[in-house]
Amino acid sequence: MHGEEWTMEKVSVGFVGVGLMGHGMAKNILEKGFPLTILAHRRREAAEDLKARGAGEVTSARELAEKCDIVVLCVTGSAQVEAIVNGPDGLVSAGRPILVCDCSTSDPSSTIRLAAELAGKGMALVDAPLSRTPKEAQAGTLDVMAGGETEHFERVRSVLETFAQKIVHTGPVGSGHTMKLLNNFVSLGYAAIYSEALALGAKAGLTPQVFDSVISDGRMDCGFYQTFFKYVLERDRDAHKFTLGNALKDLSYLSAFANATGSSNPMGAAARNSFALAVGTGHAEDYVPMLSDVIAGLNGVALAGSEG
């Protein structure tokens, strides 16, 4: 920092959260030339893979901030982000003017508050949540929506380009996380609609195959539909590795945002309740397309080819 020109060769990157998405992202950062240091907890297999590729490892966020210029976070949500930044031995405790790039799906109100706190300490925050799946994370073809001051966005852009094919600067800090909530509201809303439609169809003897033959390649087809139905039709459990528990978290953030802005969001509430029902009946660790089986089961029907 300190007025230096930011080039790839000079930027050392830290990474927290080498999970389903983070492993592929970190791999691409490393393979495309950035010195990388990771802070890993549960995913030891991913951590060992990255270390074998040349990554360093530390045991605290403070150590990460002491070694790195940019720290990328890809964790569950705002609670984890705040703990990494401000907790004991957190990033702030290193006292260095690093840039924090939060790729988690976080609560925008937390993001905006945290950015102001960090600015007062000479640090910067860019919120850069992701779209697409772990498959694209491995391939380096994720979509990113990034909020933050132009100077900070440009500083981190070369890192984002290692794992993203599409990067949109959405505006000021917090706008990336707001856009991500809207993006997930649309996709998870479709998941709830597909699931309900399939259950109603099953009541009438319409199989998922018949449903798909009408919708696929029609005006209501889309990439998310194809991913969802890869599970429904082929029972591919890994078609969309995003848990129902995380989906509920994101829709709960959307609800909090609507409440904070005094907005009416009846469709968001309906979608959230479908996921709350699934999580409340023990399916938090199942993946999003499996909502179809949960809704069908609660309606006393089974989708053709479903397991159990």
Side-chain angles (χ1 to χ4, degrees):
M1 294 188 163
H2 306 299
E4 292 180 348
E5 181 185 357
W6 280 74
T7 63
M8 190 177 82
E9 290 75 22
K10 291 182 180 178
V11 176
S12 178
V13 180
F15 202 102
V16 184
V18 291
L20 292 175
M21 295 290 277
H23 178 222
M25 295 161 63
K27 174 184 75 78
N28 278 293
I29 292 171
L30 188 61
E31 290 186 345
K32 292 172 185 176
F34 287 93
L36 183 74
T37 306
I38 61 171
L39 173 61
H41 297 294
R42 292 180 301 168
R43 298 269 297 179
R44 287 313 309 169
E45 183 180 346
E48 294 303 327
D49 174 74
L50 292 167
K51 287 168 68 177
R53 296 172 187 268
E57 184 178 14
V58 295
T59 58
S60 74
R62 180 187 180 115
E63 290 179 81
L64 205 61
E66 288 171 345
K67 289 176 176 288
C68 302
D69 303 305
I70 292 174
V71 175
V72 179
L73 310 181
C74 188
V75 294
T76 304
S78 291
Q80 291 75 22
V81 170
E82 292 179 9
I84 291 163
V85 173
N86 286 324
D89 282 330
L91 296 175
V92 167
S93 66
R96 293 189 64 240
I98 64 169
L99 185 149
V100 179
C101 180
D102 182 13
C103 292
S104 319
T105 300
S106 299
D107 180 347
S109 63
S110 168
T111 301
I112 293 167
R113 184 180 66 252
L114 196 58
E117 292 175 5
L118 293 179
K121 300 176 187 297
M123 301 169 68
L125 176 67
V126 169
D127 49 314
L130 317 161
S131 182
R132 302 177 79 85
T133 73
K135 179 181 178 182
E136 286 79 29
Q138 288 288 337
T141 57
L142 291 170
D143 293 346
V144 172
M145 50 217 88
E149 294 182 22
T150 300
E151 173 194 357
H152 301 153
F153 169 70
E154 292 300 335
R155 187 185 297 168
V156 78
R157 182 201 287 270
S158 60
V159 177
L160 298 177
E161 287 173 345
T162 66
F163 55 76
Q165 66 173 359
K166 179 182 178 182
I167 302 170
V168 177
H169 186 198
T170 52
V173 70
S175 64
H177 281 146
T178 302
M179 186 63 229
K180 174 59 175 175
L181 293 186
L182 300 180
N183 180 86
N184 281 19
F185 167 41
V186 172
S187 62
L188 297 173
Y190 269 121
I193 290 172
Y194 298 155
S195 298
E196 192 168 313
L198 286 165
L200 290 171
K203 289 279 190 177
L206 292 167
T207 66
Q209 287 74 16
V210 170
F211 184 95
D212 179 66
S213 68
V214 173
I215 302 296
S216 188
D217 294 325
R219 291 186 67 189
M220 295 309 298
D221 196 357
C222 64
F224 182 81
Y225 174 88
Q226 291 297 328
T227 300
F228 193 95
F229 271 75
K230 186 172 179 63
Y231 170 74
V232 173
L233 299 176
E234 302 174 23
R235 315 314 290 178
D236 180 354
R237 292 180 60 86
D238 295 333
H240 188 171
K241 294 170 76 171
F242 186 71
T243 67
L244 293 169
N246 273 336
L248 175 59
K249 182 262 298 181
D250 292 354
L251 290 172
S252 296
Y253 282 162
L254 179 78
S255 178
F257 175 72
N259 290 341
T261 56
S263 302
S264 167
N265 71 322
M267 301 300 291
R272 182 192 174 279
N273 281 331
S274 290
F275 286 90
L277 192 61
V279 171
T281 51
H283 298 276
E285 295 304 312
D286 287 345
Y287 295 136
V288 163
M290 299 175 193
L291 180 67
S292 58
D293 291 335
V294 175
I295 299 302
L298 291 171
N299 279 286
V301 293
L303 302 181
S306 63
E307 301 163 346

